[in-house]
Amino acid sequence: MALNLPNTLTLGRIVLVPLLMVVLLTEFHELRVAGVPKEYVAAAIFGLAALTDWLDGYLARRHQQVTTVGQLLDPLADKLLITAALVSLVQLGVAPAWMAAVIIGRELAVTGLRSFAQTRGIIMPASPLGKVKMVAEVVVVLLLLVGSAGWPWLLTLGQVGLWLVVVLAIWSAIDYYHRFSRATAAAPRGIELR
């Protein structure tokens, strides 16, 4: 595996996933970590992980360090991060389970399509719609985390934003399926989908 700086940042994001879940799901005395509400600590961890998502892509493109490993590992890290956050928020009663199931189901379906495409020699990088969905997910998760620490209007805004994320998740899943269908029908083995 090519372990350049962008790929190292992606691995760092994966390492932050269990830490996020521990902070959110562990019962701390008075729901605080070192005197800080655990939701704020979780928001900081999640925000840092989301920042590495932007930073690894930026650095990979800027320094021409885009690798196949990075193209495959980066979306996996994103899916782990979003899944961990959503499962934790459902457990805490902040997000409805059915919405989390739709979003996580989309993540698994798209991962399956991309993996199958890879077996046929087709690399399916993240689509612009998928990137918009990811940004919306990050904003909504941050709103839900901070809002659940005593900011009811942010919590409400985050819960409304979940509807937008569900719509974007379904829409982008359909878009990936169409891209996958066109690519696998038209592209010979070894051709990269752009």
Side-chain angles (χ1 to χ4, degrees), residues 101-117:
V102 168
I103 296 165
I104 293 168
R106 177 265 182 213
E107 302 298 347
L108 295 173
V110 167
T111 299
L113 283 177
R114 290 172 95 169
S115 297
F116 184 72

Side-chain angles (χ1 to χ4, degrees), residues 11-186:
L11 288 174
R13 185 158 70 257
I14 292 171
V15 169
L16 289 174
V17 169
L19 181 60
L20 174 68
M21 291 190 80
V22 166
V23 168
L24 280 174
L25 299 179
T26 301
E27 291 295 326
F28 294 99
H29 178 65
E30 297 181 13
L31 301 177
R32 293 178 176 272
V33 178
V36 178
K38 73 177 189 174
E39 295 85 359
Y40 292 163
V41 174
I45 293 167
F46 184 83
L48 176 63
L51 180 63
T52 68
D53 182 31
W54 171 81
L55 190 58
D56 65 15
Y58 172 78
L59 291 172
R61 287 185 299 276
R62 182 173 174 92
H63 298 292
Q64 298 169 349
Q65 294 181 325
V66 175
T67 64
T68 301
V69 169
Q71 285 181 322
L72 298 173
L73 200 56
D74 184 66
L76 176 64
D78 294 345
K79 285 162 184 37
L80 289 171
L81 179 64
I82 292 301
T83 298
L86 289 173
V87 167
S88 299
L89 289 169
V90 167
Q91 179 67 28
L92 295 171
V94 177
W98 75 267
M99 288 181 147
V102 168
I103 296 165
I104 293 168
R106 177 265 182 213
E107 302 298 347
L108 295 173
V110 167
T111 299
L113 283 177
R114 290 172 95 169
S115 297
F116 184 72
Q118 182 191 5
T119 65
R120 302 192 70 192
I122 301 166
I123 301 295
M124 292 181 65
S127 70
L129 187 55
K131 291 178 181 180
V132 168
K133 177 206 56 80
M134 180 63 182
V135 169
E137 287 172 337
V138 167
V139 170
V140 165
V141 167
L142 287 171
L143 286 171
L144 292 171
L145 288 171
V146 174
S148 65
W151 298 85
W153 68 276
L154 288 178
L155 183 60
T156 301
L157 190 59
Q159 290 169 334
V160 170
L162 266 176
W163 285 96
L164 173 64
V165 172
V166 167
V167 169
L168 287 171
I170 293 169
W171 185 11
S172 67
I174 293 168
D175 177 59
Y176 269 106
Y177 177 75
H178 286 301
R179 291 175 64 222
F180 169 79
S181 296
R182 285 192 310 268
T184 55

